[in-house]
Amino acid sequence: MIASEIVLVTGAAGFVGGRIVEALFLSGAATPRAGIRTWSSAARIARFPVDLVLCDIMKPEQIEPAMDGVSTVVHCAYSDARDVIVQGTKNVLEAAQRAGVERVVFISTAEVYGHDVAGIVDETFPCRYTGWEYADSKIDAERLCWEFCAKGLPVTVLRPSIVYGPFCQTWIAGFARRLRSGQWGIFQQYGDGICNLVYVDDLVSATFLAAHHNAAAGEAFNVNGPDIITWNEFFRRFNTALGLPALREISPARLRLKASVMDLARLSAGRVRQVVGPAAAKTARLFLDADRRQGVKKTLKRAQRHMKATASMRDIERLYSRRAIYTASKAQDKLGYQPRFDADRGLQLSVRWLEHHSLARGSAAEIEEAGQP
Amino acid sequence: MSSTQQRGEYVPTIALIGCGAFAEMYYLPALVRFPGVAEKLILVDSNGARAQHLASRFGIHRCVDDYRAILGEVDAAIVAAPHHLHYPISMDFLQHSAHVLCEKPLAEKASEAREMVAEAERAGVTLSANYAQRLFPSSVKVKELLAGGALGKLASIHYSWGSLYTWPTASGFYFNARLSPRGVLLDRGPHAVDLICWWLGDKPAVVSCQHDSFGGAEAVAQVELSHGDCAITIALSWLNELPNEYVIRGERGEIRNGIEDWWRIPIALPSGKVHKIKLAHDEQDYFDFGRRLIANFLNVIRAGDKPLIPAGDVIPSVEVIEACYRTATRFAMPWYENLGTLWSPASAR
């Protein structure tokens, strides 16, 4: 690949897409074109003087011009909505085919194998629907990839496992808050599943290989990190990296009870917010002064944080206790993929990032007030 | 007379330059509340469809796509265009003897800001600036308290403003490095730096400035200033939440207040007791301050009132921010080391 070649990255405002654009820019080996859905999401990626384009994958009229002159597409854009994952991917594949793109890399997920798997899981395992919209939609989007591949568009599918690193909201910023809350702990047998951590830069390396290797076209590859640790071990190591007091053991009975109660609270809170939220805000303005309104807001935020800091039954049963290893042997053998970041190194860098963003330091009050990053 | 009342019968012709999100949420709702103003208002935006959209929504009769077409035709202009255009557009209107209300930052360079102020004086019109946090009753009270020596000698001021950038920018001009590779320091920094200069009645010296730009618009910035023995830090972010407060420590007490908690000032005394001062206010949200600003601007135009924020007052903050950019270094960010080697032909096997 030469610097004049253009790589379109969809979802460039996101965690993985943003990192791929950053790597492309810093390499100087190709010209990244960063596709974003809205300008308001561009603050992270606009720190780099890259070609930023509006490329909402639900708007073919935006995808078409974004493909102009592109040789490689890395398709990272997604949402939790089925339509965006499936129809959005179809829109991207159609535009790529029309534009004569040489390679499309679709960032899928290891969740396509379903949650009811154990042992060594390789790419020969069947994809299974589970009722989880996100994962089921990724299966359907992968099918579209193979359909377009059969029609001559070279597509490679990557199935990363638990991708973490700087700018990761779910596994880094979110878990830092959970660990800091004092409510998290070691889940005993419910945390003895395999965590399958892969540092985001290893996914960047895998994406590069998927975009270039002749053997990659028409294939799906698991992407995983170099070491195998349990979720309990992840909690422990992250907790240590954050410099927090040792985590306490939480008995299975207590864990399940808390999760069930909090699941119910989450469900109720969501409904209440939907039904009476707007009216409540108006009423508060009429009857409460600014100080009291602020007090109510803070209380609600605290309650929300408390709910987020408690594991859900779904995660306990289907994620933290899942004893599956998504082996990346195929990527290693066929593409020469070599993950370089073990959990300790990856977590160390992630904590440095958290500190930079003031999420891992400061007074308890400051952290409490900080809320969502 | 309340702060939002207006004098005189004459309804001036005003041009609103820039029809972005701020015009839609702040200026237009305020402007159309004053009788007759909407009928004579002219919306200007190079994106004609956007201007037409806002015109229909707010009952405005006239739109143009190039402000130069109406120079000499209007009594006043409100400049809410992208930052790098504040200087040339304001200068054009001032040279045509129109009063100008310019959105923050007044200009990117202090030399431009000084030129704008001089041009207003030469033309015999006014140049006002909108640094909205100055209008907060809490900001006014802080100035009054500091001037009265309520905290004694100041030891430190810390100001933080960080939240995930969600501003519904219509044009995305902030993120176009070709137009101006400047970000959060030029977006949120003017409020912070101007308040501090205003409160101190003086311009602090720049000690250091760090940001995270790789050639584009910085999203996180940390500034250290000094004023005598008072150490000042400003933390700004478009990427994450910060405490969003100012903390002013003096030998006789401490003020710690949320940056948008304009209705109160809490002072912690050395005894540990917190004295809360409640402040009169009509405003329910940030955008309500637009009404006060526009009422003043109308009175400036037709009755010769003094602007709430004369442009000359904010020049020290423009100077400080310019000096910050001039001396800025990039944060140490080890998670970027070697990232450029991962996408490289050399690593292909």
Side-chain angles (χ1 to χ4, degrees):
Chain A
M1 182 175 282
I2 53 172
S4 60
E5 285 186 317
I6 301 169
V7 178
L8 171 67
V9 180
T10 69
F15 163 48
V16 171
R19 195 67 174 172
I20 289 170
V21 171
E22 290 171 354
L24 276 161
F25 174 82
L26 293 172
S27 75
T31 304
R33 182 172 291 159
I36 55 172
R37 191 171 65 82
T38 61
W39 288 115
S40 59
S41 66
R44 170 194 171 183
I45 202 61
R47 297 173 306 147
F48 295 78
V50 296
D51 184 13
L52 272 173
V53 294
L54 284 180
C55 182
D56 181 338
I57 60 169
M58 296 307 283
K59 293 180 178 167
E61 70 277 14
Q62 288 187 355
I63 306 172
E64 202 77 40
M67 289 281 178
D68 187 37
V70 165
S71 58
T72 305
V73 174
V74 181
H75 177 35
C76 303
Y78 78 99
S79 83
D80 288 334
R82 174 181 169 77
D83 214 26
V84 174
I85 297 175
V86 181
Q87 184 60 44
T89 299
K90 191 175 181 200
N91 293 340
V92 169
L93 294 168
E94 279 174 348
Q97 191 166 49
R98 274 197 300 275
V101 164
E102 291 165 23
R103 182 70 54 90
V104 175
V105 180
F106 174 56
I107 307 295
S108 184
T109 171
E111 290 299 323
V112 293
Y113 300 114
H115 51 79
D116 196 16
V117 284
I120 305 292
V121 178
D122 65 18
E123 294 82 349
T124 62
F125 267 58
C127 294
R128 284 190 193 136
Y129 292 109
T130 57
W132 181 20
E133 193 170 338
Y134 166 74
D136 290 354
S137 306
K138 285 282 191 182
I139 294 173
D140 292 340
E142 282 195 14
R143 288 207 171 125
L144 286 167
C145 289
W146 306 137
E147 281 175 30
F148 276 81
C149 208
K151 288 190 274 182
L153 181 68
V155 185
T156 302
V157 170
L158 296 183
R159 295 171 180 163
S161 43
I162 301 292
V163 189
Y164 74 107
F167 294 98
C168 175
Q169 297 304 317
T170 307
W171 311 116
I172 295 300
F175 266 89
R177 279 194 294 274
R178 286 173 154 179
L179 293 166
R180 283 197 163 275
S181 73
Q183 295 172 64
W184 209 257
I186 300 299
F187 293 173
Q188 299 183 3
Q189 69 261 39
Y190 283 116
D192 268 346
I194 303 300
C195 185
N196 290 288
L197 283 176
V198 54
Y199 187 70
V200 65
D201 288 1
D202 283 332
L203 178 55
V204 170
S205 298
T207 306
F208 174 80
L209 295 167
H212 291 81
H213 213 293
N214 288 336
E219 298 284 340
F221 298 92
N222 291 346
V223 183
N224 206 338
D227 42 13
I228 296 163
I229 63 170
T230 65
W231 280 96
N232 280 333
E233 188 58 20
F234 166 62
F235 303 153
R236 269 194 206 98
R237 290 197 198 187
F238 195 5
N239 193 66
T240 304
L242 287 166
L244 298 171
L247 290 169
R248 65 200 163 89
E249 300 270 333
I250 302 177
S251 72
R254 186 177 161 75
L255 185 69
R256 290 183 68 92
L257 178 67
K258 250 187 115 174
S260 309
V261 170
M262 213 47 90
D263 279 352
L264 194 62
R266 274 188 276 258
L267 188 68
S268 317
R271 295 269 155 82
V272 168
R273 198 166 50 235
Q274 270 178 348
V275 177
V276 301
K282 277 186 189 164
T283 313
R285 277 191 169 199
L286 289 175
F287 296 106
L288 300 176
D289 68 14
D291 263 342
R292 290 212 165 81
R293 283 204 306 274
Q294 196 179 54
V296 171
K297 264 190 202 168
K298 279 184 180 171
T299 306
L300 290 173
K301 264 192 167 181
R302 262 198 296 275
Q304 205 177 22
R305 279 196 293 275
H306 193 76
M307 284 191 272
K308 282 183 180 170
T310 307
S312 67
M313 279 302 288
R314 180 197 171 89
D315 284 349
I316 291 168
E317 291 178 342
R318 297 183 177 185
L319 183 63
Y320 307 141
S321 53
R322 190 190 304 167
R323 291 185 167 84
I325 298 169
Y326 301 99
T327 177
S329 297
K330 181 179 169 186
Q332 288 170 349
D333 295 345
K334 282 203 161 189
L335 309 180
Y337 167 66
Q338 285 298 335
R340 302 179 197 180
F341 294 85
D342 62 23
D344 286 335
R345 176 75 182 134
L347 285 172
Q348 184 197 13
L349 288 166
S350 302
V351 169
R352 289 292 300 273
W353 170 77
L354 281 170
E355 285 169 352
H356 174 69
H357 286 269
S358 304
L359 286 163
R361 66 179 173 205
S363 68
E366 282 170 345
I367 295 300
E368 189 178 311
E369 290 311 309
Q372 285 286 336
Chain B
M1 183 181 287
S2 86
S3 60
T4 55
Q5 280 180 322
Q6 42 172 336
R7 292 196 296 272
E9 296 301 315
Y10 174 66
V11 177
T13 302
I14 300 175
L16 176 58
I17 321 297
C19 292
F22 201 67
E24 181 177 12
M25 295 162 82
Y26 188 85
Y27 283 115
L28 280 165
L31 283 160
V32 299
R33 291 175 79 104
F34 295 95
V37 170
E39 286 74 15
K40 296 179 76 177
L41 189 66
I42 304 170
L43 296 187
V44 183
D45 201 293
S46 55
N47 181 345
R50 170 77 186 167
Q52 283 295 346
H53 166 71
L54 292 190
S56 320
R57 194 178 145 199
F58 288 95
I60 313 297
H61 304 311
R62 191 172 168 202
C63 299
V64 295
D65 57 12
D66 187 342
Y67 74 90
R68 286 168 292 199
I70 53 164
L71 288 170
E73 198 186 315
V74 297
D75 299 300
I78 297 172
V79 181
H83 298 156
H84 66 287
L85 299 175
H86 288 185
Y87 165 69
I89 294 175
S90 297
M91 284 298 282
D92 278 344
F93 279 101
L94 292 168
Q95 282 161 358
H96 285 81
S97 300
H99 297 275
V100 170
L101 165 58
C102 184
E103 188 46 46
K104 61 88 195 162
L106 180 63
E108 291 192 358
K109 293 178 185 158
S111 58
E112 294 173 346
R114 284 191 285 268
E115 211 182 314
M116 290 158 76
V117 171
E119 185 56 36
E121 278 175 22
R122 192 202 60 76
V125 290
T126 60
L127 175 61
S128 320
N130 180 28
Y131 284 60
Q133 290 190 11
R134 264 208 207 192
L135 305 179
F136 294 173
S138 52
S139 304
V140 176
K141 191 69 185 174
V142 168
K143 181 163 177 63
E144 186 187 307
L145 289 166
L146 297 187
L151 298 187
K153 194 176 173 193
L154 294 185
S156 65
I157 301 175
H158 177 68
Y159 180 106
S160 71
W161 187 1
S163 56
L164 191 62
Y165 187 95
T166 53
W167 184 250
T169 169
S171 68
F173 75 86
Y174 269 118
F175 307 123
N176 189 336
R178 284 187 295 274
L179 295 178
S180 173
R182 293 185 170 186
V184 71
L185 180 57
L186 198 65
D187 173 35
R188 295 180 176 175
H191 288 294
V193 176
D194 174 61
L195 273 186
I196 289 165
C197 293
W198 186 52
W199 286 339
L200 295 173
D202 197 7
K203 187 178 79 172
V206 176
V207 176
S208 69
C209 173
Q210 287 182 290
H211 61 51
D212 61 350
S213 165
F214 285 80
E218 76 283 350
V220 178
Q222 174 117 4
V223 172
E224 286 181 21
L225 309 172
S226 71
H227 185 256
D229 293 332
C230 179
I232 300 159
T233 54
I234 298 170
L236 305 165
S237 177
W238 273 346
L239 297 181
N240 61 291
E241 291 282 336
L242 292 174
N244 294 329
E245 62 183 10
Y246 46 82
V247 184
I248 308 170
R249 291 198 176 104
E251 59 189 357
R252 277 192 245 144
E254 173 186 296
I255 293 172
R256 180 187 286 266
N257 200 30
I259 55 174
E260 292 200 353
D261 295 350
W262 55 76
W263 59 89
R264 63 159 187 222
I265 284 292
I267 307 180
L269 304 171
S271 63
K273 194 182 162 196
V274 177
H275 176 49
K276 278 189 186 169
I277 304 171
K278 286 204 171 187
L279 303 163
H281 66 99
D282 300 325
E283 293 80 8
Q284 293 289 322
D285 64 42
Y286 183 88
F287 298 104
D288 289 343
F289 286 94
R291 252 182 304 165
R292 182 127 63 94
L293 188 79
I294 293 302
N296 169 255
F297 190 48
L298 291 171
N299 288 335
V300 166
I301 299 165
R302 57 191 169 200
D305 278 15
K306 187 173 183 281
L308 278 175
I309 307 171
D313 279 17
V314 304
I315 288 178
S317 69
V318 181
E319 291 171 341
V320 169
I321 288 173
E322 190 181 358
C324 286
Y325 275 114
R326 206 169 41 238
T327 56
T329 55
R330 196 191 296 153
F331 287 113
M333 293 181 281
W335 54 95
Y336 282 112
E337 285 167 15
N338 304 318
L339 180 59
T341 64
L342 302 180
W343 194 287
S344 155
S347 65
R349 290 160 175 89

